[in-house]
Amino acid sequence: MTDDSATERQRLQMELDALRQQVAEESKQYQRLLQDSEARFQALTERASALKAEIDDRCRQEAALRESERTLRAILDHSPIAIYLKDIQSRFVLTNSKLEEVYGLRCSPIGKTISDILEHSLITEEFESVDKAVMANQTPIEYETVVHWPDSRPSTDFLTVKFPIFDADGTLSGVGGFDMDITARKRATKELRRLRHLLANIVDSMPSILVGVDAQGVVTQWNRKAASATGVEVGNAMGRPLEEVFPRLGAELSRVHKAMESRSPLSHDKVMTRVGDKVRYDDIVIYPLVSNGVVGAVIRVDDVTERVRIEEMMMQTEKMLSIGGLAAGMAHEINNPLAGMLQNAQLIRNRLKPTVPKNRDAAAACSLDLEAVQRYLQSRGIDQMLEAIMDAGGRAARIVENMLSFSRKSRFTVSHHDMRGLLDQTLELLSSDYDLKVQYDFRAIRMHRDYQQDVPTVPCEPNQIQQVFLNLLRNAAQAMHGMGDRQPELWLRIHQDGESVFMEIRDNGIGMNEETRFRVFEPFFTTKDVGTGTGLGLAVSYFIITQNHGGDIEVYSAPDNGTRFVVRLPLSREGE
């Protein structure tokens, strides 16, 4: 190869390398330009997406605004109240169709004042003066007005509310207002007032106590008889709780709610109430009022004290007159065979005892082992049967003794005793009393004592009075037995009132209905299971207090509201 060829080849190689370098450089520039173009395209794309999202959002807002405007317009045009907004010159800037209807407008009032659309100067002057007052004081104004139209239309009563309108920066921009046609309401109120006056006259003429209450027990009606019975006038009774103005009817509120729930009248006959040292009886009838959105009741109270006293006096007299002869006859007929039964049962038990010498001699003569006989009797439960015979006989003997107390007046020595001490002694006796059949523990009962300190002593036979206390307290304990989680409680109160001393025993037990309360002192009447009670405890107590001591015993009770017995003993006896 010549030097020229080598030189040419070297030159060509250098040109080729330069060309390659140039191509590589241009390729790099192209890549940079391509990357810049892609970045700018991406930025433009993102900007376009943002603009589209902004445009879509504005479209949605404008659509929502148009929908809100349509909704607001629909609400305004369907409102039964005339609604409007005015600017600072009292020109209408917003109204609803009711405004045009109420004022009889034939064209839109927008941009006009009230004087531009109404020719009645008295109306326009009043409206414009109120607008000025609202803007001057920047406070709302509410008032009623009567508009007398210049044409043949009857006058209209309006209730108007006007209030100031402010811009976003707090600058006063106008007045807003509501005009409500209250003509019908005013007429209805007038008619209602007339009917109420008529009803009040009718109610006041009734011979019964009539009291109306709402669902919360607040007085809504109060007639003259109620005012006379309570000493509370109508103005002081209306709107106050029933138990506050008529305490003795407060216990009827539960029945009032029951009557409203059942939507049927409820009656409560011969309700006993103590007024001072006197007892009165009322027939109470509750009439529910549940209609047209009115919920309440009317309570009617009729005083039947005299009727009840005559009825109870006649019935109690007849019972006590007849029971004496009945008890005497039964006691004499039962006493002799009962004594023979008890005596023979006792003899049988004695002659079976292996410790008695004569029993051992007789058994030996018959070749009997008394210990074996005793084991046989025990294995067959015969000894328990004999004990049951003796217990039942003893109980029957006590019943006979109680019956005999009706047929003859006991002879006893009267002495003065402190009722507080007698009642406390009875409680001490009962503190160890645990009834195996009923399974009540008297010690588990919570006691509340309220003894007057200066109560004088009372002439009485202490054993009999303690027997009365014992009967009342045991009855209370049995009435409170099985109340579940509720704590049994007794309230004992002794106080003097006039020439008498009162002993009250109240429990929170199951209470009793009216039929049971009426018969509670009736001989042989009992609500206990067979074999648990004889029905003579309260009857004997009644006899001891009324016949032997010249006092009274009364009972107050209602189902699920406990029972309260009140014993009255006079401080002096006849002949002292």
Side-chain angles (χ1 to χ4, degrees):
M1 181 179 293
T2 64
D3 292 338
D4 292 336
S5 298
T7 302
E8 184 63 24
R9 184 176 180 181
Q10 187 177 7
R11 184 183 63 80
L12 289 173
Q13 184 66 41
M14 290 176 65
E15 288 179 355
L16 180 61
D17 291 340
L19 182 61
R20 285 176 177 175
Q21 186 176 359
Q22 183 181 356
V23 170
E25 189 66 31
E26 289 178 356
S27 177
K28 289 180 180 179
Q29 291 179 0
Y30 175 76
Q31 289 294 329
R32 285 195 296 269
L33 288 174
L34 182 61
Q35 289 175 357
D36 290 343
S37 297
E38 288 179 352
R40 288 177 183 179
F41 180 76
Q42 181 66 28
L44 288 173
T45 302
E46 291 176 356
R47 178 61 178 164
S49 298
L51 288 174
K52 184 178 183 301
E54 184 177 349
I55 291 171
D56 291 343
D57 186 54
R58 287 184 179 180
C59 290
R60 284 194 297 270
Q61 291 178 0
E62 290 175 359
L65 181 59
R66 288 192 297 272
E67 182 63 27
S68 297
E69 289 177 351
R70 284 195 296 270
T71 302
L72 177 60
R73 174 50 59 185
I75 293 173
L76 290 175
D77 288 340
H78 288 86
S79 172
I81 302 173
I83 303 173
Y84 49 88
L85 296 179
K86 298 179 182 180
D87 60 16
I88 201 72
Q89 284 80 33
S90 290
R91 293 187 299 247
F92 289 101
V93 296
L94 175 67
T95 64
N96 66 345
S97 57
K98 189 65 177 180
L99 178 75
E100 300 174 12
E101 177 188 336
V102 166
Y103 290 101
L105 304 181
R106 296 193 177 125
C107 60
S108 173
I110 300 300
K112 301 176 183 178
T113 65
I114 191 71
S115 58
D116 294 334
I117 58 178
L118 288 181
E119 298 178 356
H120 199 313
S121 60
L122 292 178
I123 300 175
T124 58
E125 288 175 5
E126 180 181 354
F127 285 7
E128 289 177 346
S129 65
V130 175
D131 290 348
K132 293 177 182 178
V134 170
M135 288 188 285
N137 299 322
Q138 296 188 6
T139 56
I141 294 178
E142 179 179 334
Y143 65 99
E144 290 185 13
T145 184
V146 181
V147 176
H148 302 280
W149 305 104
D151 51 25
S152 59
R153 284 185 293 167
S155 60
T156 304
D157 292 276
F158 281 107
L159 172 63
T160 298
V161 179
K162 292 188 177 182
F163 48 91
I165 302 295
F166 299 94
D167 288 337
D169 59 359
T171 304
L172 181 69
S173 62
V175 175
F178 307 113
D179 291 345
M180 183 187 300
D181 184 351
I182 58 172
T183 306
R185 190 178 77 183
K186 296 278 281 187
R187 291 174 182 169
T189 301
K190 184 177 180 180
E191 178 63 15
L192 179 61
R193 192 179 297 114
R194 186 189 70 81
L195 291 176
R196 275 192 161 184
H197 183 68
L198 176 62
L199 177 62
N201 287 336
I202 294 174
V203 170
D204 284 338
S205 301
M206 297 289 290
S208 305
I209 294 174
L210 291 178
V211 177
V213 295
D214 61 15
Q216 287 72 43
V218 175
V219 174
T220 58
Q221 185 66 44
W222 191 263
N223 72 343
R224 290 178 184 171
K225 196 72 175 178
S228 175
T230 60
V232 180
E233 294 301 324
V234 176
N236 295 327
M238 299 292 285
R240 293 171 62 185
L242 177 63
E243 61 267 25
E244 183 179 315
V245 294
F246 209 143
R248 63 190 175 93
L249 283 185
E252 297 297 320
L253 285 177
S254 60
R255 298 172 63 82
V256 169
H257 294 303
K258 288 181 181 178
M260 287 188 288
E261 291 173 1
S262 64
R263 300 194 177 190
S264 59
L266 290 179
S267 61
H268 196 183
D269 297 334
K270 300 177 185 177
V271 178
M272 183 185 295
T273 307
R274 176 169 290 279
V275 182
D277 60 346
K278 296 182 179 179
V279 174
R280 61 172 291 160
Y281 294 88
D282 295 311
D283 282 351
I284 301 176
V285 184
I286 301 169
Y287 302 95
L289 300 174
V290 185
S291 62
N292 299 325
V294 177
V295 179
V298 174
I299 306 172
R300 191 189 81 194
V301 183
D302 294 297
D303 186 354
V304 294
T305 305
E306 290 304 318
R307 188 189 76 192
V308 171
R309 287 190 182 280
I310 292 173
E311 291 176 355
E312 291 189 351
M313 187 182 301
M314 293 177 62
M315 294 182 64
Q316 198 65 32
T317 301
E318 290 177 1
K319 288 177 184 176
M320 288 305 176
L321 287 175
S322 62
I323 199 64
L326 176 65
M330 290 180 62
H332 286 297
E333 291 295 329
I334 295 173
N335 206 27
N336 291 334
L338 180 61
M341 291 167 58
L342 288 173
Q343 185 178 8
N344 287 324
Q346 181 66 36
L347 288 174
I348 292 172
R349 188 169 61 177
N350 289 338
R351 292 187 181 183
L352 290 174
K353 292 180 179 179
T355 56
V356 178
K358 288 186 177 181
N359 293 349
R360 290 199 301 270
D361 295 341
C366 297
S367 300
L368 286 177
D369 184 357
L370 277 182
E371 283 74 10
V373 172
Q374 196 69 28
R375 288 193 299 273
Y376 168 78
L377 295 176
Q378 291 177 355
S379 65
R380 298 294 293 162
I382 296 175
D383 55 341
Q384 295 178 359
M385 295 177 187
L386 289 174
E387 288 294 334
I389 292 173
M390 295 297 296
D391 289 343
R395 185 165 170 266
R398 288 192 295 273
I399 294 174
V400 169
E401 180 61 28
N402 286 334
M403 292 168 60
L404 285 172
S405 66
F406 286 103
S407 64
R408 62 176 183 269
K409 193 166 184 176
S410 302
R411 294 181 180 180
F412 56 85
T413 302
V414 173
S415 55
H416 285 259
H417 292 271
D418 184 357
M419 292 296 104
R420 296 169 299 181
L422 287 180
L423 186 52
D424 284 340
Q425 289 174 16
T426 308
L427 288 171
E428 289 180 9
L429 290 174
L430 286 169
S431 63
S432 60
D433 187 22
Y434 182 84
D435 194 306
L436 291 175
K437 294 180 180 179
V438 181
Q439 293 185 343
Y440 68 82
D441 188 352
F442 209 85
R443 293 167 297 183
I445 300 174
R446 183 181 297 168
M447 299 291 175
H448 304 274
R449 290 178 172 85
D450 180 13
Y451 296 167
Q452 183 179 326
Q453 294 301 315
D454 55 350
V455 175
T457 58
V458 177
C460 65
E461 204 289 314
N463 292 331
Q464 290 193 359
I465 298 301
Q466 278 193 302
Q467 182 63 42
V468 172
F469 290 157
L470 194 69
N471 291 338
L472 297 180
L473 291 168
R474 275 185 173 163
N475 273 7
Q478 292 169 1
M480 294 185 291
H481 173 67
M483 295 194 303
D485 296 334
R486 190 169 60 173
Q487 170 69 43
E489 297 182 78
L490 272 176
W491 288 265
L492 310 174
R493 183 170 181 245
I494 299 176
H495 67 282
Q496 178 187 4
D497 189 353
E499 295 301 315
S500 300
V501 171
F502 291 85
M503 285 71 66
E504 300 182 13
I505 298 175
R506 179 167 65 92
D507 64 64
N508 65 339
I510 59 175
M512 60 184 79
N513 57 29
E514 184 63 18
E515 179 183 358
T516 302
R517 188 199 66 80
F518 184 75
R519 299 185 61 191
V520 73
F521 296 119
E522 181 180 329
F524 305 112
F525 174 77
T526 180
T527 58
K528 300 183 180 71
D529 295 335
V530 176
T532 305
T534 64
L536 286 174
L538 292 179
V540 170
S541 299
Y542 180 90
F543 180 80
I544 289 173
I545 297 299
T546 59
Q547 300 298 315
N548 290 0
H549 291 83
D552 295 318
I553 181 170
E554 297 175 343
V555 59
Y556 306 86
S557 186
D560 300 323
N561 282 327
T563 302
R564 180 169 65 103
F565 283 93
V566 180
V567 177
R568 183 192 67 84
L569 291 177
L571 288 172
S572 61
R573 294 176 60 86
E574 294 182 4
E576 289 188 350

